[in-house]
Amino acid sequence: MIPSLFWPVLSIAPSLVSELRAEKIEQRSLTLVWREPSYPNSSSTEYEIKYYEKEQKDKSYSTVKTAATRISVNNLKPGTTYVFLIRPFSTPAPSSLLSAAASSSSSSPSPIDYGGYSAPLELQTLGERECARFSLIFLAISFHRREAAWDRAVWASRQPTQRPPVF
């Protein structure tokens, strides 16, 4: 009998994501962006986003998975503070030598390597008042721009026309 050679495979979880920030915050949704890990474990790193209402930390949470470094989270409550945590995960791709041994020994899937969670990011969705206030500010800016354009047109119409001097 020929002994099988198995090399131990060190499975190192991907490093943490960095620069987690909100790109857009609305009343019922927000968009998060982050930088991929410095040391990914494989060529295809995915992300698990865990989030919960700040007051519900130990009671309930939601998770979303994505392969991108940007995600929009929808169906949020207006004026509510949420806590977001992101961790990378990957399924290590075995080398060609190890894949032959693995396929002959078992057909179980490769283990998933989870990295640690990022530092928590607290964000508050816009409430009813903020949306109304932003609408009023937008209307005021639009009105001001129209008024300024009108004032310029009136001023220009009242200026005497300049004719070139006649020699």
Side-chain angles (χ1 to χ4, degrees):
M1 176 180 232
I2 300 173
S4 300
L5 294 176
F6 289 100
W7 288 284
V9 178
L10 295 178
S11 180
I12 300 171
S15 60
L16 299 176
V17 298
S18 60
E19 299 179 29
L20 172 60
R21 64 181 174 83
E23 184 178 68
K24 184 178 183 182
I25 299 175
E26 295 180 340
Q27 196 173 14
R28 296 187 184 275
S29 67
L30 53 82
T31 302
L32 298 172
V33 293
W34 60 91
R35 185 180 296 253
E36 62 187 11
S38 305
Y39 302 103
N41 182 335
S42 72
S43 61
S44 64
T45 299
E46 295 183 59
Y47 305 94
E48 178 185 79
I49 297 89
K50 176 181 177 180
Y51 64 97
Y52 53 87
E53 291 179 37
K54 186 176 179 182
E55 304 302 321
Q56 301 289 322
K57 179 179 180 179
D58 297 324
K59 296 177 184 169
S60 69
Y61 64 90
S62 299
T63 59
V64 180
K65 292 184 179 179
T66 182
T69 57
R70 171 182 304 204
I71 190 167
S72 290
V73 181
N74 301 308
N75 301 321
L76 302 174
K77 295 179 185 176
T80 303
T81 301
Y82 288 89
V83 178
F84 292 88
L85 303 155
I86 298 181
R87 69 178 176 176
F89 69 92
S90 59
T91 305
S95 69
S96 59
L97 290 175
L98 292 174
S99 63
S103 64
S104 65
S105 63
S106 72
S107 61
S108 63
S110 300
I112 296 176
D113 289 332
Y114 284 95
Y117 278 113
S118 63
L121 176 63
E122 288 187 16
L123 297 170
Q124 183 173 4
T125 55
L126 296 179
E128 300 291 334
R129 285 187 193 163
E130 288 87 3
C131 286
R133 185 174 60 205
F134 287 132
S135 296
L136 289 175
I137 290 171
F138 176 75
L139 287 173
I141 290 171
S142 298
F143 178 76
H144 177 71
R145 286 183 179 168
R146 283 189 209 135
E147 188 177 75
W150 174 259
D151 288 345
R152 284 192 300 272
V154 169
W155 181 83
S157 69
R158 292 183 180 165
Q159 297 300 313
T161 56
Q162 298 272 333
R163 295 188 180 169
V166 179
F167 295 102

